[in-house]
Amino acid sequence: MAQLHHPTHHRTLHPAHHPAHHRTAPVGTVVTRMRALDADLPERDGIAVFNRVYLAVTEEVERRLDAGRFTDPGAAATLDVRFAERYLAAVDTEAAGRRPPACWRPLFQFRRHPGVRPLQFALAGINAHIGHDLALAVVDACHTLRCEPADLEDEFDRVGDLLVSLEERIREDLMPGPDLLQIADPLTHLLGSWSLERARDATWAAARALWALRGFEDVAEEFTERLDAAVGLAGRMLLTPLRD
């Protein structure tokens, strides 16, 4: 399987070393890669659970691009691909025996744990990808397109709206039976403490902050490291093993 060649550390924002200065691949390229992962991974594997969810999102983005439903399809495609490349780079990094970003480590560590339910895997992956990767993908796309984050706000919102609608479907499809929906159930309590809407709002603020800090590399790197660690902590809590 072809590997994406990204640097081991995904925090550097300096333009000279930034992956955003590579040519943007078409959305179909990342869709193909995710389909290959879907075919290769065991169905119950935590990465496989998230990958199926994310593949559905990316396929829908591709359909909407083909249907002309984005105001600026070039910008939307660039943001979508840069976003996907962050996730695929984490997969490649872990597969090569290196340490992925902190936000992804809990999912890789618990991906085969029998006490973690599929809904937890899906939301932990969404947490890592939205809470950390999306902010950096906005910065990546801005470098590629030579624009400001404000120029991508419409595309950011459209992709975010799609993710929110998909999250609702994920909860319906992957939530266990009615007996586990009691207010005192640990899963209900755990998942009720995390919101994609809040995560998306925080991500947009983080992207704008990172863009404003692009001329202050040390500060931007520290900001990104702290964001990565905080999102990783939330992911670890989402993956708390629960007894059947």
Side-chain angles (χ1 to χ4, degrees):
M1 184 185 299
Q3 300 288 305
L4 292 172
H5 299 290
H6 287 256
T8 302
H9 299 290
H10 303 277
R11 300 190 181 104
T12 304
L13 298 172
H14 193 280
H17 305 290
H18 204 282
H21 285 260
H22 300 172
R23 186 181 175 197
T24 303
V27 174
T29 300
V30 293
V31 167
T32 298
R33 180 71 199 285
M34 282 185 265
R35 286 175 180 161
L37 283 172
D38 185 50
D40 289 346
L41 294 172
E43 183 178 356
R44 184 64 176 75
D45 181 283
I47 296 296
V49 173
F50 168 73
N51 189 78
R52 286 193 295 273
V53 169
Y54 190 35
L55 174 58
V57 171
T58 309
E59 288 174 333
E60 181 61 24
V61 170
E62 187 175 34
R63 281 192 290 271
R64 293 186 183 195
L65 282 166
D66 291 342
R69 296 178 62 183
F70 285 94
T71 306
D72 185 340
T78 298
L79 179 59
D80 188 68
V81 170
R82 293 299 181 215
F83 190 28
E85 286 176 341
R86 289 277 170 183
Y87 156 61
L88 293 171
V91 171
D92 288 346
T93 297
E94 195 275 340
R98 302 191 301 271
R99 280 166 67 84
C103 60
W104 285 106
R105 285 176 213 154
L107 186 53
F108 285 114
Q109 291 165 357
F110 285 83
R111 63 193 293 181
R112 298 179 185 88
H113 197 295
V116 179
R117 298 185 177 123
L119 180 58
Q120 292 174 265
F121 288 136
L123 293 185
I126 293 170
N127 170 69
H129 204 37
I130 297 291
H132 172 266
D133 293 355
L134 184 53
L136 273 63
V138 170
V139 174
D140 291 348
C142 286
H143 280 299
T144 298
L145 299 168
R146 302 184 185 278
C147 68
E148 300 283 325
D151 299 320
L152 297 178
E153 190 167 7
D154 284 348
E155 286 68 33
F156 179 95
D157 286 342
R158 285 175 183 267
V159 172
D161 290 344
L162 177 59
L163 286 163
V164 169
S165 65
L166 188 69
E167 185 207 14
E168 294 169 359
R169 196 173 82 201
I170 293 164
R171 288 180 184 265
E172 291 173 2
D173 291 348
L174 297 181
M175 182 67 83
D179 56 315
L180 291 176
L181 296 178
Q182 301 300 318
I183 192 67
D185 181 73
L187 182 61
T188 303
H189 176 78
L190 189 67
L191 301 181
S193 65
W194 186 84
S195 162
L196 193 151
E197 284 274 22
R198 289 197 298 270
R200 185 177 68 164
D201 290 345
T203 291
W204 182 245
R208 292 178 62 211
L210 282 169
W211 186 251
L213 291 171
R214 66 191 182 282
F216 305 92
E217 189 172 355
D218 290 346
V219 179
E221 183 166 343
E222 181 179 355
F223 182 97
T224 308
E225 287 175 354
R226 291 182 184 275
L227 175 67
D228 191 19
V231 173
L233 178 61
R236 175 63 185 82
M237 288 193 272
L238 283 168
L239 292 169
T240 300
L242 304 170
R243 292 182 297 177
D244 290 329

